[in-house]
Amino acid sequence: MVNSDVLADNPKLGKALTGAWYEIMQTMQGDDAKATMARSAMADASGTDLAGYDAQLASTKMFYDAKDAAEFNNSPALLSTMGKVAEFSFEHGLLGEGAADAKFIGIETPTGVYGDKSNIKLRFDPSFMQMAIDNKL
């Protein structure tokens, strides 16, 4: 996540973060020593061991490939998922005391906005994923 204004002022930051993301996504896959070392470090930082971290990964949809991530980002499924996230966040008080309902904040995706269009707090922009796909990072 990057603040929208910061990203607009520093597009190279977006490129660098996206490049680093997909580098580590490639590194952590598999069972070779480099992948095991990367996941072990992530496990330790997460307060678990490698087996625990691998179990978490097995139950999490990971977008190891930029093409898969961009396809999901550009699909109506993302908007639906963000609606569920907003509902969960509201039900657990994560949107703050002033939130009257889950649509208090807006979440902008390429296929639409969930919630308040005048109070966008989260934006999904697939442009950097597309740069990764096009090898333009």
Side-chain angles (χ1 to χ4, degrees), residues 58-121:
S59 67
T60 304
K61 172 63 177 159
M62 300 296 290
F63 294 99
Y64 291 102
D65 183 87
K67 184 176 182 239
D68 293 337
E71 285 175 5
F72 179 71
N73 203 284
N74 286 307
S75 76
L78 175 62
L79 186 60
S80 174
T81 299
M82 288 301 100
K84 292 172 186 172
V85 168
E87 291 287 339
F88 175 89
S89 297
F90 175 71
E91 289 170 13
H92 291 85
L94 302 175
L95 300 182
E97 292 180 24
D101 59 30
K103 292 186 175 184
F104 175 73
I105 63 161
I107 303 172
E108 183 179 73
T109 75
T111 62
V113 173
Y114 178 89
D116 188 344
K117 291 180 181 179
S118 65
N119 191 26
I120 302 289
K121 298 298 182 192

CSV table of all heavy atoms in Angstrom, one decimal, residues 58-121:
chain,number,residue,atom,x,y,z
A,58,ALA,N,-0.6,-22.1,2.4
A,58,ALA,CA,-1.5,-23.1,1.7
A,58,ALA,C,-2.9,-22.7,1.7
A,58,ALA,O,-3.7,-23.1,0.9
A,58,ALA,CB,-1.2,-24.5,2.3
A,59,SER,N,-3.3,-21.9,2.7
A,59,SER,CA,-4.7,-21.5,2.9
A,59,SER,C,-5.0,-20.1,2.4
A,59,SER,O,-6.1,-19.6,2.6
A,59,SER,CB,-5.2,-21.7,4.3
A,59,SER,OG,-4.5,-20.7,5.1
A,60,THR,N,-4.0,-19.5,1.7
A,60,THR,CA,-4.1,-18.1,1.2
A,60,THR,C,-4.0,-18.1,-0.3
A,60,THR,O,-3.0,-18.7,-0.8
A,60,THR,CB,-3.0,-17.3,1.9
A,60,THR,OG1,-3.1,-17.4,3.3
A,60,THR,CG2,-3.2,-15.8,1.4
A,61,LYS,N,-4.9,-17.4,-1.0
A,61,LYS,CA,-4.7,-17.2,-2.4
A,61,LYS,C,-3.6,-16.3,-2.6
A,61,LYS,O,-3.7,-15.1,-2.3
A,61,LYS,CB,-6.0,-16.7,-3.0
A,61,LYS,CG,-5.9,-16.3,-4.5
A,61,LYS,CD,-5.6,-17.5,-5.4
A,61,LYS,CE,-5.5,-17.1,-6.8
A,61,LYS,NZ,-4.7,-18.0,-7.6
A,62,MET,N,-2.5,-16.8,-3.2
A,62,MET,CA,-1.3,-15.9,-3.5
A,62,MET,C,-1.3,-15.6,-5.0
A,62,MET,O,-1.5,-16.5,-5.8
A,62,MET,CB,0.0,-16.6,-3.0
A,62,MET,CG,0.0,-16.9,-1.6
A,62,MET,SD,0.0,-15.5,-0.5
A,62,MET,CE,1.6,-14.8,-0.9
A,63,PHE,N,-1.0,-14.4,-5.3
A,63,PHE,CA,-0.8,-14.0,-6.7
A,63,PHE,C,0.7,-14.0,-7.0
A,63,PHE,O,1.3,-12.9,-7.0
A,63,PHE,CB,-1.5,-12.7,-7.0
A,63,PHE,CG,-3.0,-12.8,-6.9
A,63,PHE,CD1,-3.7,-12.4,-5.7
A,63,PHE,CD2,-3.8,-13.4,-7.9
A,63,PHE,CE1,-5.0,-12.5,-5.6
A,63,PHE,CE2,-5.1,-13.5,-7.8
A,63,PHE,CZ,-5.8,-13.1,-6.6
A,64,TYR,N,1.3,-15.1,-7.3
A,64,TYR,CA,2.7,-15.2,-7.5
A,64,TYR,C,3.1,-14.5,-8.9
A,64,TYR,O,4.2,-14.1,-9.1
A,64,TYR,CB,3.2,-16.6,-7.5
A,64,TYR,CG,3.2,-17.2,-6.1
A,64,TYR,CD1,2.2,-18.1,-5.7
A,64,TYR,CD2,4.1,-16.9,-5.2
A,64,TYR,CE1,2.1,-18.6,-4.4
A,64,TYR,CE2,4.1,-17.4,-3.9
A,64,TYR,CZ,3.1,-18.3,-3.5
A,64,TYR,OH,3.1,-18.8,-2.3
A,65,ASP,N,2.1,-14.5,-9.8
A,65,ASP,CA,2.4,-14.0,-11.1
A,65,ASP,C,1.6,-12.7,-11.3
A,65,ASP,O,0.4,-12.6,-11.0
A,65,ASP,CB,1.9,-15.1,-12.1
A,65,ASP,CG,2.2,-14.7,-13.6
A,65,ASP,OD1,3.3,-14.9,-14.0
A,65,ASP,OD2,1.3,-14.1,-14.2
A,66,ALA,N,2.2,-11.7,-11.9
A,66,ALA,CA,1.6,-10.4,-12.1
A,66,ALA,C,0.3,-10.5,-13.0
A,66,ALA,O,-0.7,-9.8,-12.8
A,66,ALA,CB,2.5,-9.4,-12.7
A,67,LYS,N,0.4,-11.4,-14.0
A,67,LYS,CA,-0.8,-11.6,-14.9
A,67,LYS,C,-2.0,-12.1,-14.1
A,67,LYS,O,-3.1,-11.6,-14.3
A,67,LYS,CB,-0.4,-12.6,-16.0
A,67,LYS,CG,-1.5,-12.8,-17.0
A,67,LYS,CD,-1.1,-13.7,-18.1
A,67,LYS,CE,-2.2,-13.8,-19.1
A,67,LYS,NZ,-2.7,-15.1,-19.4
A,68,ASP,N,-1.8,-13.0,-13.2
A,68,ASP,CA,-2.9,-13.5,-12.4
A,68,ASP,C,-3.5,-12.4,-11.5
A,68,ASP,O,-4.7,-12.3,-11.3
A,68,ASP,CB,-2.5,-14.7,-11.5
A,68,ASP,CG,-2.2,-15.9,-12.3
A,68,ASP,OD1,-2.6,-16.0,-13.5
A,68,ASP,OD2,-1.4,-16.8,-11.8
A,69,ALA,N,-2.6,-11.6,-10.9
A,69,ALA,CA,-3.0,-10.5,-10.0
A,69,ALA,C,-3.8,-9.5,-10.8
A,69,ALA,O,-4.8,-9.0,-10.3
A,69,ALA,CB,-1.8,-9.9,-9.3
A,70,ALA,N,-3.3,-9.1,-12.0
A,70,ALA,CA,-4.0,-8.1,-12.8
A,70,ALA,C,-5.3,-8.6,-13.2
A,70,ALA,O,-6.3,-7.8,-13.2
A,70,ALA,CB,-3.1,-7.8,-14.0
A,71,GLU,N,-5.4,-9.9,-13.6
A,71,GLU,CA,-6.7,-10.4,-14.0
A,71,GLU,C,-7.7,-10.3,-12.8
A,71,GLU,O,-8.9,-9.9,-13.0
A,71,GLU,CB,-6.6,-11.9,-14.4
A,71,GLU,CG,-6.0,-12.0,-15.8
A,71,GLU,CD,-5.7,-13.5,-16.2
A,71,GLU,OE1,-6.1,-14.4,-15.5
A,71,GLU,OE2,-5.1,-13.7,-17.3
A,72,PHE,N,-7.3,-10.7,-11.6
A,72,PHE,CA,-8.2,-10.6,-10.5
A,72,PHE,C,-8.5,-9.1,-10.2
A,72,PHE,O,-9.7,-8.8,-9.9
A,72,PHE,CB,-7.6,-11.2,-9.2
A,72,PHE,CG,-8.5,-11.1,-8.0
A,72,PHE,CD1,-9.6,-11.9,-8.0
A,72,PHE,CD2,-8.1,-10.3,-7.0
A,72,PHE,CE1,-10.5,-11.8,-6.8
A,72,PHE,CE2,-9.0,-10.2,-5.9
A,72,PHE,CZ,-10.1,-10.9,-5.8
A,73,ASN,N,-7.5,-8.3,-10.2
A,73,ASN,CA,-7.7,-6.8,-10.0
A,73,ASN,C,-8.7,-6.2,-10.9
A,73,ASN,O,-9.5,-5.3,-10.5
A,73,ASN,CB,-6.3,-6.1,-10.1
A,73,ASN,CG,-6.3,-4.9,-9.3
A,73,ASN,OD1,-6.8,-3.8,-9.7
A,73,ASN,ND2,-5.6,-4.9,-8.1
A,74,ASN,N,-8.7,-6.7,-12.1
A,74,ASN,CA,-9.6,-6.1,-13.2
A,74,ASN,C,-11.0,-6.8,-13.2
A,74,ASN,O,-11.8,-6.5,-14.1
A,74,ASN,CB,-8.9,-6.1,-14.5
A,74,ASN,CG,-7.9,-5.1,-14.6
A,74,ASN,OD1,-8.1,-3.9,-14.4
A,74,ASN,ND2,-6.7,-5.5,-15.0
A,75,SER,N,-11.2,-7.8,-12.3
A,75,SER,CA,-12.4,-8.5,-12.4
A,75,SER,C,-13.5,-8.0,-11.4
A,75,SER,O,-13.1,-7.4,-10.4
A,75,SER,CB,-12.2,-10.0,-12.1
A,75,SER,OG,-11.9,-10.2,-10.7
A,76,PRO,N,-14.7,-8.3,-11.6
A,76,PRO,CA,-15.8,-7.9,-10.6
A,76,PRO,C,-15.6,-8.7,-9.3
A,76,PRO,O,-16.1,-8.2,-8.3
A,76,PRO,CB,-17.1,-8.4,-11.3
A,76,PRO,CG,-16.8,-8.5,-12.8
A,76,PRO,CD,-15.3,-8.8,-12.8
A,77,ALA,N,-14.8,-9.8,-9.3
A,77,ALA,CA,-14.6,-10.5,-8.1
A,77,ALA,C,-13.9,-9.7,-7.0
A,77,ALA,O,-14.2,-9.8,-5.8
A,77,ALA,CB,-13.8,-11.8,-8.4
A,78,LEU,N,-13.0,-8.8,-7.4
A,78,LEU,CA,-12.3,-7.9,-6.5
A,78,LEU,C,-13.3,-7.0,-5.8
A,78,LEU,O,-13.3,-6.9,-4.6
A,78,LEU,CB,-11.2,-7.1,-7.2
A,78,LEU,CG,-10.5,-6.1,-6.3
A,78,LEU,CD1,-9.8,-6.8,-5.1
A,78,LEU,CD2,-9.5,-5.2,-7.1
A,79,LEU,N,-14.2,-6.4,-6.5
A,79,LEU,CA,-15.2,-5.5,-5.9
A,79,LEU,C,-16.1,-6.3,-4.9
A,79,LEU,O,-16.3,-5.8,-3.8
A,79,LEU,CB,-16.0,-4.9,-7.0
A,79,LEU,CG,-17.0,-3.8,-6.6
A,79,LEU,CD1,-16.3,-2.6,-5.9
A,79,LEU,CD2,-17.8,-3.3,-7.8
A,80,SER,N,-16.5,-7.5,-5.3
A,80,SER,CA,-17.2,-8.3,-4.4
A,80,SER,C,-16.5,-8.6,-3.1
A,80,SER,O,-17.0,-8.5,-2.0
A,80,SER,CB,-17.7,-9.6,-5.1
A,80,SER,OG,-18.3,-10.4,-4.2
A,81,THR,N,-15.2,-9.0,-3.3
A,81,THR,CA,-14.3,-9.3,-2.1
A,81,THR,C,-14.2,-8.1,-1.2
A,81,THR,O,-14.2,-8.3,0.0
A,81,THR,CB,-13.0,-9.9,-2.6
A,81,THR,OG1,-13.2,-11.0,-3.4
A,81,THR,CG2,-12.0,-10.1,-1.5
A,82,MET,N,-14.0,-7.0,-1.8
A,82,MET,CA,-13.8,-5.8,-1.0
A,82,MET,C,-15.1,-5.4,-0.2
A,82,MET,O,-15.0,-4.9,0.9
A,82,MET,CB,-13.3,-4.6,-1.9
A,82,MET,CG,-11.9,-4.7,-2.3
A,82,MET,SD,-10.7,-4.9,-0.9
A,82,MET,CE,-10.4,-6.6,-0.9
A,83,GLY,N,-16.2,-5.7,-0.8
A,83,GLY,CA,-17.5,-5.5,-0.1
A,83,GLY,C,-17.5,-6.4,1.2
A,83,GLY,O,-17.9,-6.0,2.3
A,84,LYS,N,-17.0,-7.6,1.0
A,84,LYS,CA,-17.0,-8.5,2.2
A,84,LYS,C,-15.9,-8.0,3.2
A,84,LYS,O,-16.2,-8.1,4.4
A,84,LYS,CB,-16.6,-10.0,1.7
A,84,LYS,CG,-17.7,-10.6,0.9
A,84,LYS,CD,-17.2,-11.9,0.3
A,84,LYS,CE,-18.3,-12.5,-0.6
A,84,LYS,NZ,-17.8,-13.6,-1.4
A,85,VAL,N,-14.8,-7.5,2.7
A,85,VAL,CA,-13.8,-7.0,3.7
A,85,VAL,C,-14.4,-5.8,4.4
A,85,VAL,O,-14.2,-5.6,5.6
A,85,VAL,CB,-12.5,-6.6,2.9
A,85,VAL,CG1,-11.6,-5.7,3.7
A,85,VAL,CG2,-11.8,-7.8,2.3
A,86,ALA,N,-15.1,-4.9,3.7
A,86,ALA,CA,-15.7,-3.7,4.4
A,86,ALA,C,-16.7,-4.2,5.4
A,86,ALA,O,-16.8,-3.6,6.5
A,86,ALA,CB,-16.3,-2.8,3.3
A,87,GLU,N,-17.6,-5.1,5.1
A,87,GLU,CA,-18.6,-5.6,6.0
A,87,GLU,C,-17.9,-6.2,7.3
A,87,GLU,O,-18.3,-5.9,8.4
A,87,GLU,CB,-19.4,-6.7,5.4
A,87,GLU,CG,-20.4,-6.2,4.3
A,87,GLU,CD,-21.5,-5.4,4.8
A,87,GLU,OE1,-21.9,-5.5,6.0
A,87,GLU,OE2,-22.1,-4.6,4.0
A,88,PHE,N,-16.9,-7.0,7.1
A,88,PHE,CA,-16.1,-7.6,8.2
A,88,PHE,C,-15.5,-6.5,9.0
A,88,PHE,O,-15.6,-6.5,10.3
A,88,PHE,CB,-15.0,-8.5,7.6
A,88,PHE,CG,-14.1,-9.1,8.7
A,88,PHE,CD1,-14.4,-10.3,9.4
A,88,PHE,CD2,-12.9,-8.4,9.1
A,88,PHE,CE1,-13.6,-10.8,10.4
A,88,PHE,CE2,-12.1,-8.9,10.1
A,88,PHE,CZ,-12.4,-10.1,10.7
A,89,SER,N,-14.9,-5.5,8.3
A,89,SER,CA,-14.2,-4.4,9.1
A,89,SER,C,-15.2,-3.6,9.9
A,89,SER,O,-15.0,-3.2,11.0
A,89,SER,CB,-13.5,-3.5,8.1
A,89,SER,OG,-12.5,-4.2,7.4
A,90,PHE,N,-16.4,-3.4,9.3
A,90,PHE,CA,-17.4,-2.6,10.1
A,90,PHE,C,-17.9,-3.5,11.3
A,90,PHE,O,-18.0,-2.9,12.4
A,90,PHE,CB,-18.6,-2.3,9.2
A,90,PHE,CG,-19.8,-1.7,9.9
A,90,PHE,CD1,-19.6,-0.4,10.4
A,90,PHE,CD2,-20.9,-2.3,10.2
A,90,PHE,CE1,-20.7,0.2,11.1
A,90,PHE,CE2,-22.0,-1.8,10.9
A,90,PHE,CZ,-21.8,-0.5,11.3
A,91,GLU,N,-18.2,-4.7,11.0
A,91,GLU,CA,-18.7,-5.6,12.1
A,91,GLU,C,-17.7,-5.7,13.3
A,91,GLU,O,-18.1,-5.9,14.4
A,91,GLU,CB,-19.0,-7.0,11.6
A,91,GLU,CG,-20.3,-7.0,10.7
A,91,GLU,CD,-20.4,-8.3,10.0
A,91,GLU,OE1,-19.8,-9.3,10.3
A,91,GLU,OE2,-21.3,-8.4,9.0
A,92,HIS,N,-16.5,-5.5,13.0
A,92,HIS,CA,-15.4,-5.6,14.1
A,92,HIS,C,-14.9,-4.3,14.5
A,92,HIS,O,-13.8,-4.2,15.2
A,92,HIS,CB,-14.3,-6.6,13.6
A,92,HIS,CG,-14.8,-8.0,13.5
A,92,HIS,ND1,-15.4,-8.5,12.4
A,92,HIS,CD2,-14.7,-9.0,14.4
A,92,HIS,CE1,-15.7,-9.7,12.5
A,92,HIS,NE2,-15.3,-10.1,13.8
A,93,GLY,N,-15.6,-3.2,14.1
A,93,GLY,CA,-15.2,-1.9,14.6
A,93,GLY,C,-13.9,-1.3,14.0
A,93,GLY,O,-13.4,-0.3,14.5
A,94,LEU,N,-13.5,-1.8,12.9
A,94,LEU,CA,-12.3,-1.4,12.3
A,94,LEU,C,-12.4,-0.1,11.4
A,94,LEU,O,-11.4,0.5,11.1
A,94,LEU,CB,-11.7,-2.5,11.4
A,94,LEU,CG,-11.4,-3.8,12.2
A,94,LEU,CD1,-10.9,-4.9,11.2
A,94,LEU,CD2,-10.4,-3.6,13.3
A,95,LEU,N,-13.6,0.3,11.2
A,95,LEU,CA,-13.8,1.5,10.4
A,95,LEU,C,-13.9,2.8,11.2
A,95,LEU,O,-14.1,3.9,10.7
A,95,LEU,CB,-15.0,1.4,9.5
A,95,LEU,CG,-15.0,0.2,8.5
A,95,LEU,CD1,-16.3,0.3,7.6
A,95,LEU,CD2,-13.8,0.3,7.6
A,96,GLY,N,-13.9,2.6,12.5
A,96,GLY,CA,-13.9,3.7,13.5
A,96,GLY,C,-15.3,4.0,14.0
A,96,GLY,O,-16.3,3.4,13.5
A,97,GLU,N,-15.4,4.8,15.1
A,97,GLU,CA,-16.6,5.0,15.8
A,97,GLU,C,-17.6,5.8,14.9
A,97,GLU,O,-18.8,5.7,15.1
A,97,GLU,CB,-16.4,5.7,17.1
A,97,GLU,CG,-15.7,4.9,18.1
A,97,GLU,CD,-15.4,5.6,19.4
A,97,GLU,OE1,-16.1,6.6,19.7
A,97,GLU,OE2,-14.5,5.2,20.1
A,98,GLY,N,-17.2,6.6,14.0
A,98,GLY,CA,-18.0,7.4,13.1
A,98,GLY,C,-18.7,6.7,12.0
A,98,GLY,O,-19.5,7.2,11.3
A,99,ALA,N,-18.3,5.4,11.8
A,99,ALA,CA,-18.8,4.7,10.7
A,99,ALA,C,-20.2,4.2,11.0
A,99,ALA,O,-20.4,3.4,11.9
A,99,ALA,CB,-17.9,3.5,10.3
A,100,ALA,N,-21.2,4.6,10.2
A,100,ALA,CA,-22.6,4.2,10.4
A,100,ALA,C,-22.9,2.8,9.8
A,100,ALA,O,-23.8,2.1,10.2
A,100,ALA,CB,-23.5,5.2,9.7
A,101,ASP,N,-22.1,2.4,8.8
A,101,ASP,CA,-22.2,1.1,8.1
A,101,ASP,C,-21.0,0.8,7.4
A,101,ASP,O,-20.0,1.6,7.3
A,101,ASP,CB,-23.5,1.1,7.3
A,101,ASP,CG,-23.5,2.1,6.1
A,101,ASP,OD1,-22.4,2.5,5.6
A,101,ASP,OD2,-24.6,2.5,5.7
A,102,ALA,N,-21.0,-0.3,6.7
A,102,ALA,CA,-19.8,-0.8,6.0
A,102,ALA,C,-19.5,0.1,4.8
A,102,ALA,O,-18.3,0.1,4.3
A,102,ALA,CB,-19.9,-2.2,5.5
A,103,LYS,N,-20.5,0.8,4.3
A,103,LYS,CA,-20.2,1.7,3.1
A,103,LYS,C,-19.8,3.1,3.5
A,103,LYS,O,-19.8,4.0,2.7
A,103,LYS,CB,-21.5,1.7,2.3
A,103,LYS,CG,-21.8,0.4,1.6
A,103,LYS,CD,-23.0,0.4,0.7
A,103,LYS,CE,-23.1,-0.9,0.0
A,103,LYS,NZ,-24.2,-0.9,-1.0
A,104,PHE,N,-19.4,3.3,4.7
A,104,PHE,CA,-18.9,4.6,5.2
A,104,PHE,C,-17.7,5.0,4.4
A,104,PHE,O,-17.5,6.2,4.1
A,104,PHE,CB,-18.6,4.5,6.7
A,104,PHE,CG,-17.9,5.7,7.3
A,104,PHE,CD1,-18.7,6.8,7.5
A,104,PHE,CD2,-16.6,5.7,7.7
A,104,PHE,CE1,-18.1,8.0,8.1
A,104,PHE,CE2,-16.0,6.8,8.2
A,104,PHE,CZ,-16.8,8.0,8.4
A,105,ILE,N,-16.8,4.1,4.2
A,105,ILE,CA,-15.6,4.4,3.4
A,105,ILE,C,-15.9,3.9,1.9
A,105,ILE,O,-16.7,3.1,1.7
A,105,ILE,CB,-14.3,3.8,3.9
A,105,ILE,CG1,-14.4,2.2,3.9
A,105,ILE,CG2,-14.0,4.3,5.3
A,105,ILE,CD1,-13.1,1.5,4.0
A,106,GLY,N,-15.1,4.4,1.0
A,106,GLY,CA,-15.1,3.9,-0.4
A,106,GLY,C,-13.9,3.1,-0.7
A,106,GLY,O,-12.8,3.5,-0.3
A,107,ILE,N,-14.1,2.1,-1.5
A,107,ILE,CA,-13.0,1.2,-2.0
A,107,ILE,C,-13.1,1.2,-3.5
A,107,ILE,O,-14.1,0.7,-4.0
A,107,ILE,CB,-13.1,-0.2,-1.4
A,107,ILE,CG1,-13.1,-0.2,0.2
A,107,ILE,CG2,-11.9,-1.0,-1.9
A,107,ILE,CD1,-13.3,-1.5,0.8
A,108,GLU,N,-12.1,1.8,-4.1
A,108,GLU,CA,-12.2,1.9,-5.6
A,108,GLU,C,-11.4,0.8,-6.3
A,108,GLU,O,-10.3,0.5,-5.9
A,108,GLU,CB,-11.6,3.3,-6.0
A,108,GLU,CG,-11.6,3.6,-7.4
A,108,GLU,CD,-11.0,4.9,-7.7
A,108,GLU,OE1,-9.8,5.0,-7.6
A,108,GLU,OE2,-11.8,5.9,-8.0
A,109,THR,N,-12.1,0.1,-7.2
A,109,THR,CA,-11.5,-0.9,-8.0
A,109,THR,C,-11.7,-0.6,-9.5
A,109,THR,O,-12.5,0.3,-9.8
A,109,THR,CB,-12.1,-2.3,-7.7
A,109,THR,OG1,-13.4,-2.4,-8.3
A,109,THR,CG2,-12.2,-2.6,-6.2
A,110,PRO,N,-11.0,-1.2,-10.4
A,110,PRO,CA,-11.2,-1.0,-11.8
A,110,PRO,C,-12.6,-1.2,-12.3
A,110,PRO,O,-13.0,-0.6,-13.3
A,110,PRO,CB,-10.2,-1.9,-12.5
A,110,PRO,CG,-9.1,-2.1,-11.5
A,110,PRO,CD,-9.8,-2.1,-10.2
A,111,THR,N,-13.4,-2.0,-11.6
A,111,THR,CA,-14.8,-2.3,-12.0
A,111,THR,C,-15.8,-1.5,-11.2
A,111,THR,O,-17.0,-1.7,-11.5
A,111,THR,CB,-15.1,-3.8,-11.9
A,111,THR,OG1,-15.0,-4.2,-10.6
A,111,THR,CG2,-14.2,-4.6,-12.8
A,112,GLY,N,-15.4,-0.6,-10.3
A,112,GLY,CA,-16.4,0.2,-9.6
A,112,GLY,C,-15.9,0.5,-8.2
A,112,GLY,O,-14.8,0.2,-7.8
A,113,VAL,N,-16.8,1.1,-7.5
A,113,VAL,CA,-16.5,1.6,-6.1
A,113,VAL,C,-17.5,0.9,-5.2
A,113,VAL,O,-18.7,0.9,-5.4
A,113,VAL,CB,-16.7,3.1,-5.9
A,113,VAL,CG1,-16.5,3.5,-4.5
A,113,VAL,CG2,-15.6,3.8,-6.8
A,114,TYR,N,-17.0,0.3,-4.1
A,114,TYR,CA,-17.8,-0.2,-3.0
A,114,TYR,C,-17.9,0.9,-2.0
A,114,TYR,O,-16.8,1.4,-1.5
A,114,TYR,CB,-17.3,-1.5,-2.4
A,114,TYR,CG,-18.2,-1.9,-1.2
A,114,TYR,CD1,-19.3,-2.8,-1.5
A,114,TYR,CD2,-17.9,-1.5,0.0
A,114,TYR,CE1,-20.1,-3.1,-0.4
A,114,TYR,CE2,-18.8,-1.9,1.1
A,114,TYR,CZ,-19.8,-2.7,0.8
A,114,TYR,OH,-20.7,-3.0,1.9
A,115,GLY,N,-19.0,1.4,-1.6
A,115,GLY,CA,-19.1,2.3,-0.5
A,115,GLY,C,-19.2,3.8,-1.0
A,115,GLY,O,-19.6,4.0,-2.1
A,116,ASP,N,-18.8,4.7,-0.2
A,116,ASP,CA,-18.9,6.1,-0.4
A,116,ASP,C,-17.9,6.6,-1.4
A,116,ASP,O,-16.7,6.7,-1.1
A,116,ASP,CB,-18.7,6.8,1.0
A,116,ASP,CG,-19.1,8.3,0.9
A,116,ASP,OD1,-19.1,8.9,-0.2
A,116,ASP,OD2,-19.2,8.9,2.0
A,117,LYS,N,-18.4,7.0,-2.5
A,117,LYS,CA,-17.5,7.5,-3.6
A,117,LYS,C,-16.8,8.8,-3.2
A,117,LYS,O,-15.7,9.2,-3.8
A,117,LYS,CB,-18.2,7.7,-4.9
A,117,LYS,CG,-18.7,6.4,-5.5
A,117,LYS,CD,-19.5,6.6,-6.8
A,117,LYS,CE,-19.9,5.3,-7.3
A,117,LYS,NZ,-20.7,5.4,-8.6
A,118,SER,N,-17.3,9.5,-2.2
A,118,SER,CA,-16.7,10.8,-1.8
A,118,SER,C,-15.7,10.6,-0.6
A,118,SER,O,-15.2,11.5,-0.1
A,118,SER,CB,-17.7,11.8,-1.4
A,118,SER,OG,-18.5,11.4,-0.3
A,119,ASN,N,-15.6,9.3,-0.2
A,119,ASN,CA,-14.7,9.0,0.9
A,119,ASN,C,-13.8,7.8,0.6
A,119,ASN,O,-13.7,6.9,1.4
A,119,ASN,CB,-15.5,8.8,2.2
A,119,ASN,CG,-14.7,8.7,3.4
A,119,ASN,OD1,-13.6,9.3,3.5
A,119,ASN,ND2,-15.2,8.0,4.5
A,120,ILE,N,-13.2,7.9,-0.6
A,120,ILE,CA,-12.3,6.7,-1.0
A,120,ILE,C,-11.1,6.7,-0.1
A,120,ILE,O,-10.3,7.6,0.1
A,120,ILE,CB,-11.8,6.9,-2.5
A,120,ILE,CG1,-13.0,7.0,-3.4
A,120,ILE,CG2,-10.9,5.8,-2.9
A,120,ILE,CD1,-13.8,5.8,-3.6
A,121,LYS,N,-10.9,5.5,0.5
A,121,LYS,CA,-9.8,5.2,1.4
A,121,LYS,C,-8.9,4.2,0.9
A,121,LYS,O,-7.8,4.0,1.4
A,121,LYS,CB,-10.3,4.9,2.8
A,121,LYS,CG,-11.1,5.9,3.5
A,121,LYS,CD,-10.3,7.2,3.7
A,121,LYS,CE,-11.1,8.3,4.4
A,121,LYS,NZ,-10.4,9.6,4.4
